[in-house]
Amino acid sequence: MDTSNPGAELHLLQISDCHLYADPKGTLLGLNTLDSMRQVLEDACYRQHPDFIVVTGDLVHDGSRTGYQSLARTLKKTKSPSAAIPGNHDHALTMQNTLEKHGIPTGGHIDLGNWRLVLLNSQVPGKEHGHLSDHELATLDHALDGNPEHLLIFLHHQPVPIGSRWLDNIGLDNGKELLSRIQDDSRVKGICWGHVHQSWEGRLGHLKLMATPSTCIQFTPGQPGFGVDTAPPGWRDISLGADGSLSSTTHHLQHMPRGLIADSAGY
């Protein structure tokens, strides 16, 4: 894309919770996660080739360098630039070292046209819940400086409750601190996350709040405890207008890939 043209509409693709393994035949609840991610990228890029791809955590389930190398090779095949942030299942240092060698940023901010994408690390090593450290909050503060026209924030953990008790117990534990920094800043148009393996949307004033489905298994919405939904792997398309407008839609593969163990009590 031509980032020198601030008047162009930007088309982003957000994928999340890929849960890849060192073994390309690795499965999560019976589903081959590499195959399902490849199918998502193929379908999503066929519908509309993205200007940029953001991957919002839980990239590699076993934290293996081989898994991150597989992710990098798959993303490169799309011919779109990309960035990624860690989730609770990732090994953040291995992720950073591997992906950045392939030219895939893993934090900070990225300027595209007159939009700034802010990439925050909400991982707490060894824990399922999320937290934005002082360093990450400073990263956000830095991104807000310099007078960018429009901003969109990405992280892994949900900063607000989504109505599933077990997932809300492992969301971002300082979401209010994040929101207090941006909810009165009209330049910040929205927040996107993963982690919850389902589509969810809400609003907080002018802010659009968006959760994106997984490229492998989905969790049943509204459940007090763990539940596997039968919705196929999915993704989120995001359109960013030069005037600061934001529109977004989630999509799913037409058919669930074979192998899903839907009656599992967890993983």
Side-chain angles (χ1 to χ4, degrees):
M1 62 168 292
D2 181 6
T3 58
S4 66
N5 181 5
E9 184 176 61
L10 300 173
H11 301 288
L12 307 184
L13 167 61
Q14 182 195 0
I15 63 171
S16 198
D17 299 271
C18 308
H19 291 276
L20 305 182
Y21 294 86
D23 183 354
K25 296 181 180 179
T27 62
L28 184 67
L29 300 188
L31 200 66
N32 184 298
T33 57
L34 178 58
D35 284 350
S36 64
M37 184 190 73
R38 286 172 171 168
Q39 289 180 55
V40 162
L41 286 170
E42 180 179 355
D43 198 343
C45 292
Y46 176 79
R47 288 169 181 249
Q48 183 170 47
H49 195 80
D51 295 311
F52 202 86
I53 301 171
V54 183
V55 195
T56 48
D58 281 2
L59 316 176
V60 176
H61 195 76
D62 58 7
S64 63
R65 185 177 305 276
T66 302
Y68 293 113
Q69 290 171 337
S70 180
L71 173 66
R73 287 193 298 268
T74 305
L75 289 172
K76 288 293 185 181
K77 288 180 180 178
T78 68
K79 307 298 183 184
S80 294
S82 59
I85 50 178
N88 48 290
H89 283 282
D90 287 299
H91 189 283
L93 184 59
T94 302
M95 170 193 156
Q96 179 181 356
N97 290 340
T98 306
L99 296 187
E100 292 194 354
K101 286 180 180 178
H102 289 267
I104 300 172
T106 57
H109 66 261
I110 295 166
D111 290 332
L112 300 173
N114 55 359
W115 280 83
R116 175 166 289 180
L117 310 183
V118 186
L119 309 173
L120 299 178
N121 177 2
S122 60
Q123 185 195 68
V124 180
K127 304 294 183 179
E128 291 186 307
H129 76 276
H131 181 84
L132 290 174
S133 66
D134 289 344
H135 177 270
E136 292 302 310
L137 291 171
T139 296
L140 172 60
D141 291 340
H142 176 67
L144 293 169
D145 291 339
N147 202 31
E149 290 190 53
H150 315 298
L151 299 97
L152 182 60
I153 295 171
F154 292 89
L155 72 165
H156 180 66
H157 294 84
Q158 73 273 28
V160 296
I162 65 159
S164 289
R165 188 171 69 237
W166 74 280
L167 286 170
D168 291 333
N169 286 337
I170 55 172
L172 189 72
D173 68 4
N174 60 340
K176 290 182 179 179
E177 193 166 2
L178 166 64
L179 294 171
S180 70
R181 280 169 153 79
I182 61 175
Q183 63 187 23
D184 294 326
D185 191 332
S186 61
R187 300 172 302 163
V188 184
K189 306 304 181 182
I191 310 174
C192 301
W193 62 85
H195 188 52
V196 298
H197 288 238
Q198 60 193 269
S199 177
W200 184 93
E201 294 186 4
R203 295 199 73 90
L204 181 63
H206 72 281
L207 287 171
K208 189 172 178 64
L209 308 175
M210 296 165 280
T212 292
S214 166
T215 64
C216 55
I217 66 167
Q218 314 305 324
F219 298 146
T220 306
Q223 290 280 94
F226 181 89
V228 179
D229 195 65
T230 55
W235 68 93
R236 180 177 289 278
D237 287 329
I238 305 169
S239 295
L240 304 178
D243 60 354
S245 59
L246 185 160
S247 61
S248 181
T249 308
T250 55
H251 303 275
H252 292 266
L253 297 178
Q254 288 189 343
H255 303 287
M256 171 63 74
R258 293 182 179 181
L260 177 69
I261 302 171
D263 60 353
S264 174
Y267 68 83

